Amino acid sequence: MSAMTTSPARVSAGGSTRQSFGAASVTVSAASMDGPIGSGESAESPDGRFGLVAIGMSRVSVQEWLPDDPYPMALVSDLPDTPPTPEELSGWVPAYAEVVALTRRTVGLAIELGVLDSTVEVDPVDDPARGSFALAAAAPLGPFDRYRILAATSVLERLRLLHEALLDLEEVLHFRLAAGGDDAGTDT
């Protein structure tokens, strides 16, 4: 089963949180609600719900929210990154390498404090544009910082915001570690 959202298009968003941007996606497969993905088990849960595995294909910006019948829907348009200047392009690799190292340190601290699952891995990709999204997803950030980072429309801006948020978080985590790790939460 495969369905692609195109621009402008109607997209649905599960839950009640509404954002001004999101991701258009391709539905890859039905997934079990109570077993591992790809296990071959039924995709229907005992209460009649279904799970889907979807892969984000592009960012979208919500132009207009439509009535919630039977679920939230919106008219959207593509939200691509702005093309980089040659100067910006030359700054991608060093900025990306620095943010990868900072993300690894911060994730390590969060795991040490027990506020992040030890299975979280920071697996950088070769492309700083795609990698900036992956790092934002892996970093132990709160929803406000994650939203600001993912809404940035240039790679360098996304990396700058990620760097700034991670430096702040690293400082908080070091403080918590020095204080014995008693303070709860890492949301920034």
Side-chain angles (χ1 to χ4, degrees):
M1 173 188 315
S2 204
M4 174 101 176
T5 303
T6 57
S7 174
R10 291 177 181 244
V11 294
S12 63
S16 60
T17 302
R18 293 183 178 214
Q19 305 292 337
S20 61
F21 79 98
S25 64
V26 173
T27 302
V28 177
S29 65
S32 171
M33 297 289 281
D34 54 4
I37 294 172
S39 65
E41 297 177 31
S42 169
E44 186 174 0
S45 69
D47 64 0
R49 293 179 299 144
F50 285 86
L52 297 175
V53 176
I55 298 174
M57 301 300 291
S58 65
R59 285 188 308 166
V60 295
S61 175
V62 173
Q63 301 305 308
E64 176 187 352
W65 282 101
L66 301 172
D68 292 359
D69 186 19
Y71 44 79
M73 292 188 293
L75 296 176
V76 301
S77 60
D78 285 332
L79 182 62
D81 278 344
T82 55
T85 65
E87 297 81 30
E88 288 175 330
L89 198 54
S90 69
W92 278 15
V93 173
Y96 180 60
E98 189 173 335
V99 172
V100 166
L102 183 55
T103 303
R104 284 185 171 142
R105 285 195 318 265
T106 308
V107 165
L109 285 169
I111 290 170
E112 186 175 346
L113 283 163
V115 296
L116 192 61
D117 188 336
S118 64
T119 61
V120 172
E121 293 181 22
V122 179
D123 258 343
V125 296
D126 291 336
D127 175 20
R130 285 186 326 128
S132 64
F133 288 111
L135 292 174
L141 300 171
F144 174 74
D145 284 325
R146 192 177 316 277
Y147 181 84
R148 274 185 341 134
I149 292 162
L150 296 175
T153 58
S154 80
V155 174
L156 280 180
E157 180 66 6
R158 208 164 25 256
L159 290 172
R160 184 190 68 74
L161 289 169
L162 188 54
H163 188 266
E164 179 182 289
L166 287 170
L167 282 177
D168 290 345
L169 180 58
E170 184 180 40
E171 187 175 326
V172 168
L173 293 174
H174 276 296
F175 175 79
R176 287 185 56 196
L177 199 56
D182 295 334
D183 190 14
T186 60
D187 284 351
T188 55

